[in-house]
Amino acid sequence: MTLGFNPHIQDLSSPHIPEAQGWARAYDGSLGPLINLSQAVPGTAPPPALLERLAAAAADPEVARYGFIEGEPPLREAYAAHVSALYGGRVRPADVSITSGCNQAFFAIMMLLARSGGAVILPSPWYFNHQMTLDMLGLETRALPCGPDRGFLPDPAEAEALIDERVKALVLVTPNNPTGAVYPPSLIEAFAELCRRRGIWLVVDETYRDFLPRGVNRPHGLLADETWREGVIQLYSFSKAYAIPGHRLGAIVADGRVVTELAKIMDSLQICAPRAGQTALIWAIDAMAEWREGVRAEINRRSEAFAAAIRDVPGWRIDSIGAYFAYVRHPYHGVPVERVARLLAEERGVSVLPGTFFSPDGETHLRIAVANVAAEALEPLPQRLAGFAP
């Protein structure tokens, strides 16, 4: 007898980040330190005051007990006030659920909104964990192509053509992972109107909201009036914004009835957000506002430094850049992009991800995580790229 596995899990591809890390480990260091532009990890350590509060909370015996399913009430209250002020609307603590990272938030929301056999629209290229989540849940991924000719922005009219009775939700990620594209507020609002009219959910993943380009204070105006309660769900990552990814903290903003239903899933999963991190964030949301703004300015500086570094390298072209990421066209037509990415890491000490990790049509592009390294560390990049021949 052969024991089997769930085919939805067995058919998944191997995790991409460990694969890229393996390529980087093969680099011998002959050209200098590795330039790691692969994984979207905070390139700035959290401030000492936050670390002190994390340590103090972790040492509190009360924090070692079970917490609240929807998250610690003071944190839900603080985040609701923060989001209300940011968007000029009304978000109640009952509209907030604190999760163990933004990926868990997405998983739980998709489990709530659609059942096996349903479909969800993802703009392509997409964040690979989103597509993997849909596969695990037995949901069809409906690809909404977004090409470089339009700055990797999705088209509402093309999305509407994909909607039928099986489609339960449409997902937007802005600023986008992997392309870095920043969706204009009017475009996001057009998608909200489309979803409202066609009776499907709009899920907006704002993991990289705090790293918008200079002069852009908020991604959209969806929460400015009460119509957002009619089908808009917003996801966020404290892990990225506060440089504490090891604490796995995310948030969902949705109408209270969604949060109430979601609690059934969260209670069943019993994967509650770490209480020490939640306790520290109650202080950090207001106290670290200036620090977060400084990090945003630094990441914008790194984006500019990357653009300057690659500008004069023959054949290389930035097709989109924003927040954490750049989506870059490489010049090696006909060479499989995974070979390009692997040899860049192994031979030139430049670790990036191939576009095929994010889209079946990603052969011509590489995703660059520009926020990972200081601007000064990018100085050797032009020479390493110019001397590369896969």
Side-chain angles (χ1 to χ4, degrees):
M1 179 179 69
T2 301
L3 298 177
F5 300 101
N6 180 346
H8 292 323
I9 306 300
Q10 199 169 12
D11 292 344
L12 294 177
S13 60
S14 299
H16 293 311
I17 296 300
E19 183 177 2
Q21 290 171 338
W23 301 338
R25 283 194 296 271
Y27 172 58
D28 62 9
S30 58
L31 298 178
L34 177 76
I35 303 175
N36 189 350
L37 303 170
S38 59
Q39 191 174 10
V41 295
T44 303
L50 178 58
L51 293 175
E52 291 168 5
R53 281 167 172 79
L54 287 167
D60 183 351
E62 182 60 31
V63 172
R65 299 178 181 276
Y66 285 123
F68 292 84
I69 294 169
E70 299 94 339
E72 298 299 301
L75 179 56
R76 297 173 72 198
E77 183 176 348
Y79 188 64
H82 172 71
V83 173
S84 296
L86 177 64
Y87 288 101
R90 184 173 70 97
V91 175
R92 306 167 306 202
D95 301 324
V96 174
S97 178
I98 305 299
T99 60
S100 184
C102 197
N103 278 328
Q104 189 203 51
F106 184 82
F107 191 98
I109 281 294
M110 288 300 115
M111 187 181 291
L112 177 64
L113 302 187
R115 63 183 179 182
S116 182
V120 175
I121 296 173
L122 296 185
S124 175
W126 49 59
Y127 173 46
F128 48 72
N129 278 12
H130 284 176
Q131 191 261 336
M132 291 171 69
T133 291
L134 299 184
D135 285 351
M136 283 191 284
L137 294 174
L139 299 171
E140 177 195 349
T141 299
R142 291 261 172 104
L144 174 58
C146 305
D149 56 324
R150 64 179 70 163
F152 294 100
L153 299 178
D155 186 315
E158 292 182 8
E160 184 159 18
L162 298 174
I163 298 173
D164 59 21
E165 68 281 354
R166 292 180 57 222
V167 173
K168 304 304 178 185
L170 185 149
V171 179
L172 301 178
V173 181
T174 180
N176 188 257
N177 179 8
T179 67
V182 177
Y183 297 177
S186 59
L187 179 63
I188 300 171
E189 289 153 19
F191 272 104
E193 175 56 33
L194 166 64
C195 292
R196 188 179 300 115
R197 178 164 49 82
R198 295 301 302 267
I200 65 173
W201 296 90
L202 175 63
V203 178
V204 185
D205 184 329
E206 297 183 357
T207 292
Y208 301 98
R209 180 181 73 208
D210 286 359
F211 312 106
L212 285 163
R214 288 189 181 94
V216 182
N217 294 321
R218 64 184 190 186
H220 55 75
L222 294 184
L223 304 186
D225 62 64
E226 290 294 284
T227 59
W228 73 269
R229 298 184 181 279
E230 302 170 18
V232 173
I233 296 172
Q234 182 192 72
L235 312 181
Y236 177 72
S237 171
F238 293 108
S239 302
K240 294 292 194 302
Y242 293 80
I244 50 172
H247 288 269
R248 301 289 186 190
L249 286 158
I252 298 169
V253 170
D255 183 70
R257 67 188 182 92
V258 177
V259 173
T260 298
E261 292 299 312
L262 192 65
K264 301 173 185 177
I265 297 173
M266 305 304 288
D267 187 42
S268 176
L269 291 174
Q270 283 292 300
I271 307 176
C272 297
R275 293 190 72 192
Q278 292 190 69
T279 300
L281 283 173
I282 295 165
W283 164 84
I285 286 177
D286 286 338
M288 285 178 56
E290 186 176 343
W291 180 88
R292 295 198 306 276
E293 191 60 31
V295 170
R296 174 163 79 154
E298 172 60 20
I299 287 178
N300 276 266
R301 190 171 79 90
R302 293 178 182 187
S303 294
E304 292 165 3
F306 174 79
I310 207 169
R311 186 175 297 129
D312 296 326
V313 181
W316 291 77
R317 188 179 80 199
I318 297 173
D319 278 342
S320 183
I321 188 168
Y324 255 56
F325 305 109
Y327 214 53
V328 178
R329 185 183 293 270
H330 68 78
Y332 309 108
H333 305 294
V335 181
V337 70
E338 290 192 29
R339 174 179 171 84
V340 174
R342 177 175 61 82
L343 293 181
L344 268 174
E346 293 178 352
E347 298 180 358
R348 309 301 292 177
V350 179
S351 181
V352 298
L353 297 185
T356 47
F357 282 4
F358 306 93
S359 168
D361 302 321
E363 280 289 350
T364 57
H365 286 81
L366 297 165
R367 192 201 74 172
I368 313 292
V370 297
N372 283 17
V373 299
E376 295 74 18
L378 294 171
E379 291 176 3
L381 184 62
Q383 185 177 0
R384 294 197 194 183
L385 295 182
F388 178 59

